[in-house]
Amino acid sequence: MDVRELVGQARQGRPRAVARLISLVENAVENAENAAQTAQAGQAGVSAGGDRAASAAGSRALREAMAELATGGARPRPARVIGLTGSPGVGKSTSTGMLIRAFRRRGSTVGVLAVDPSSPFTGGALLGDRVRMQDHATDPGVFIRSMSSRGHLGGLAWATPQALRVLEAAGCDVILVETVGVGQAEVEIARLADTTVVILAPGMGDGVQAAKAGILEVADVLVVNKADRDGVQTTVRELRNMTGLVETPWRPPIVTTVASKGEGADDLLAALDKHQAYLEESGEARRRRLARARDEIEAIALAQLRSRFAVLHGDRLDALAERLLGAETDPYAAADDLIAALR
């Protein structure tokens, strides 16, 4: 199908077109990465030529699709992007399903990007998050897409920002981004979402754990899920003490939920609406969206530079390494030499 026609069908909300566009985004990124790795490894012959050809074709199609999406007319109101993150096992997928139901009751169309970890050995991924969202599989107002992280750190996938553009163009009022089960320092979602929801569960740590810098500091809303377990009040108290340590214009509310039963959905929705109102009134919404656009442009530019750098990665780098070992140069001068070759 012609890319322009594909974008046109995606704007009409046709699920197959939306799925194919997101696949185009993912495959173009993967082909570019493969081509760069092939060049870095110094491989030659049919394999290298095939990777470069696939990368070039995917890049052209991706550029055409992104141009159509970006210049086809901005929506009067951007989609709300809500990120859900937290450690493995706290109930992110179940909480996402609960939020889908809550927003659908309002009549909002919902897009979901669920990122699953990929194997560092085979590159494969289970993509099992959407299994927990099967109740919404036949709802025409919900589009759910699982994405593999493909080795990208930070809890997201390389293609997530462009996939967001596709879902927004398809008319999604709300886009929920569920990250890989993340650790204390994997906070990339905060740079992508308008509102970041950090989900915890009772018994996941003590007061010292709650006070550590990292993932809790990026929270706009804190959710203590599985609140039917023992220790929920202790967890809430420790989180309240932690959030009280820093004076900020927005103090994250703490919501308790039992997502598997749908309990706490209204409280969570109210907290999300309150934060959305704060974003709009304070001007923070525009600042975050500008930062998101800036990060997207920077990431694409760096990827293109990395691809060009890969071509020079072989003989020139080896020669510079030999000179460094022979005390003929220093690492900064060698790096300057390599960068100069890009010009």
Side-chain angles (χ1 to χ4, degrees):
M1 185 182 296
D2 178 73
V3 171
R4 184 172 298 179
E5 182 182 352
L6 195 63
V7 172
Q9 291 191 7
R11 288 190 180 280
Q12 297 171 17
R14 297 188 182 182
R16 288 175 62 87
V18 175
R20 289 184 65 181
L21 271 180
I22 295 178
S23 294
L24 171 65
V25 169
E26 289 188 292
N27 292 335
V29 171
E30 184 178 32
N31 286 334
E33 289 293 312
N34 288 342
Q37 291 171 5
T38 298
Q40 287 177 359
Q43 296 175 14
V46 177
S47 175
D51 282 338
R52 284 194 293 269
S55 177
S59 179
R60 286 194 298 271
L62 177 60
R63 281 175 174 269
E64 185 179 352
M66 288 298 111
E68 286 290 325
L69 289 171
T71 60
R75 294 177 54 181
R77 186 177 182 85
R80 291 175 64 178
V81 181
I82 300 173
L84 294 97
T85 190
S87 301
V90 296
K92 294 188 298 297
S93 296
T94 310
S95 297
T96 300
M98 181 178 72
L99 278 177
I100 293 173
R101 284 189 291 274
F103 279 114
R104 289 297 291 144
R105 284 197 295 268
R106 288 184 170 183
S108 300
T109 53
V110 181
V112 180
L113 295 175
V115 185
D116 279 303
S118 57
S119 168
F121 304 105
T122 66
L126 178 61
L127 302 181
D129 283 340
R130 59 185 171 186
V131 173
R132 300 186 180 96
M133 306 176 199
Q134 285 301 302
D135 292 347
H136 312 285
T138 58
D139 187 341
V142 179
F143 182 90
I144 301 172
R145 176 64 177 242
S146 288
M147 305 179 74
S148 167
S149 64
R150 304 196 184 202
H152 182 59
L153 301 179
L156 298 176
W158 281 111
T160 305
Q162 285 73 45
L164 282 177
R165 288 188 174 277
V166 174
L167 290 180
E168 186 170 44
C172 292
D173 300 312
V174 179
I175 303 174
L176 305 176
V177 182
E178 180 193 335
T179 73
V180 172
V182 298
Q184 294 171 343
E186 293 166 312
V187 293
E188 189 173 336
I189 185 63
R191 302 174 66 87
L192 188 72
D194 299 321
T195 301
T196 301
V197 180
V198 175
I199 305 174
L200 305 98
M204 300 295 287
D206 56 12
V208 175
Q209 191 73 17
K212 286 183 178 180
I215 190 170
L216 294 183
E217 288 189 326
V218 306
D220 296 309
V221 176
L222 286 162
V223 173
V224 181
N225 190 34
K226 305 183 180 182
D228 50 353
R229 291 185 176 181
D230 294 336
V232 62
Q233 292 305 319
T234 300
T235 303
V236 170
R237 183 170 60 252
E238 289 167 350
L239 290 173
R240 188 170 290 118
N241 291 337
M242 185 274 293
T243 57
L245 294 175
V246 182
E247 287 295 331
T248 58
W250 172 262
R251 180 170 295 184
I254 302 169
V255 181
T256 58
T257 64
V258 183
S260 60
K261 301 177 182 178
E263 296 177 7
D266 291 340
D267 292 339
L268 177 53
L269 210 56
L272 293 173
D273 288 343
K274 187 176 180 181
H275 185 253
Q276 182 67 22
Y278 160 76
L279 292 176
E280 300 294 343
E281 293 167 4
S282 65
E284 180 70 7
R286 177 169 174 77
R287 190 197 69 78
R288 292 192 180 194
R289 288 165 189 155
L290 280 173
R292 188 161 74 218
R294 188 167 57 244
D295 289 344
E296 185 179 4
I297 295 170
E298 182 181 18
I300 292 171
L302 289 174
Q304 291 177 352
L305 287 173
R306 190 164 57 246
S307 178
R308 293 178 61 189
F309 175 81
V311 178
L312 304 172
H313 194 274
D315 295 341
R316 182 182 291 270
L317 184 58
D318 289 341
L320 289 170
E322 289 287 351
R323 292 184 60 199
L324 181 60
L325 286 178
E328 300 175 24
T329 187
D330 66 85
Y332 284 91
D336 289 341
D337 190 326
L338 199 60
I339 291 172
L342 289 175
R343 306 193 185 105

